[in-house]
Amino acid sequence: MKHKRNFKALEKRRLKGAQLLSQGKSQSAVARELGVARQTVATWAHRLAEGGKGSLKRGNLGRPRHLESSQEQELGKLLMAGALAAGYPTELWTLPRIGKVISERFGVQYSVGHWWRLLRRLGFSCQKPEKRALQRNEPEIARCKRHGWPALKTKPSEKAAASSSSTNPA
């Protein structure tokens, strides 16, 4: 199982280190007290001198997003409007179509895997179209299931007995 970092605890430790450094303790003493490498405390001291305590607070992790939140919302609206509205011949959204819309509309290139993450973040999930004929007659199917299917389901011996008794008047 992957170990998750406790970012709040790490930030708290950096701020504690800053407090100890401001009290005049040496970097080696701070490193021993907090259980970190001396080079780590040297980095903290440099950041503290450059930007103050605020520079020791946790920043944003990972790569910055290419699409702003307003652009993501616009993409969600485009997808909800449907593929026909986007100029495609069918109503089916596929990943290549979505990728093309993103690159044409926003000028951003993503990998297929990132398209999935972006769609999940917008609240979309994988959907497969039902493979049913457009001409389906639902009421007729329901009537057939209620009345026709039980007649087909009767055993052959019951059918033979029913047909022989009706044809042989004794």
Side-chain angles (χ1 to χ4, degrees):
M1 187 167 144
K2 188 176 179 182
H3 177 70
K4 288 201 164 218
R5 287 185 170 176
N6 185 346
F7 293 109
K8 290 187 185 226
L10 294 174
E11 181 179 320
K12 189 175 178 182
R13 185 170 62 181
R14 286 192 302 270
L15 294 174
K16 175 73 173 170
Q19 180 185 9
L20 293 173
L21 286 171
S22 66
Q23 291 174 358
K25 288 198 175 188
S26 69
Q27 291 180 5
S28 299
V30 172
R32 276 192 303 276
E33 187 171 331
L34 297 178
V36 296
R38 190 195 55 76
Q39 183 59 41
T40 303
V41 178
T43 303
W44 295 347
H46 179 73
R47 285 171 58 186
L48 192 61
E50 292 286 320
K53 267 191 171 178
S55 65
L56 294 177
K57 292 194 181 267
R58 180 178 137 208
N60 293 332
L61 300 175
R63 291 181 75 173
R65 291 184 178 178
H66 291 294
L67 292 180
E68 296 173 9
S69 60
S70 62
Q71 291 174 319
E72 287 183 5
Q73 296 304 317
E74 184 181 343
L75 176 63
K77 288 177 184 175
L78 281 170
L79 295 176
M80 290 302 292
L84 289 174
Y88 290 103
T90 63
E91 193 56 57
L92 183 68
W93 277 117
T94 62
L95 282 179
R97 286 181 177 185
I98 293 170
K100 189 173 179 184
V101 166
I102 291 171
S103 67
E104 288 176 354
R105 180 76 173 195
F106 305 109
V108 175
Q109 296 290 326
Y110 282 129
S111 67
V112 176
H114 192 79
W115 293 337
W116 277 118
R117 284 190 289 278
L118 178 61
L119 291 173
R120 271 192 229 111
R121 190 167 55 241
L122 292 174
F124 291 96
S125 63
C126 179
Q127 304 287 319
K128 290 185 179 178
E130 290 186 18
K131 295 182 179 177
R132 293 185 172 184
L134 293 174
Q135 302 84 6
R136 275 177 70 101
N137 185 348
E138 293 297 333
E140 180 62 25
I141 292 171
R143 187 198 62 76
C144 190
K145 282 182 181 178
R146 251 189 335 272
H147 302 294
W149 182 249
L152 293 173
K153 205 172 171 185
T154 58
K155 295 180 180 170
S157 59
E158 293 175 13
K159 285 183 184 177
S163 65
S164 65
S165 65
S166 64
T167 58
N168 193 0

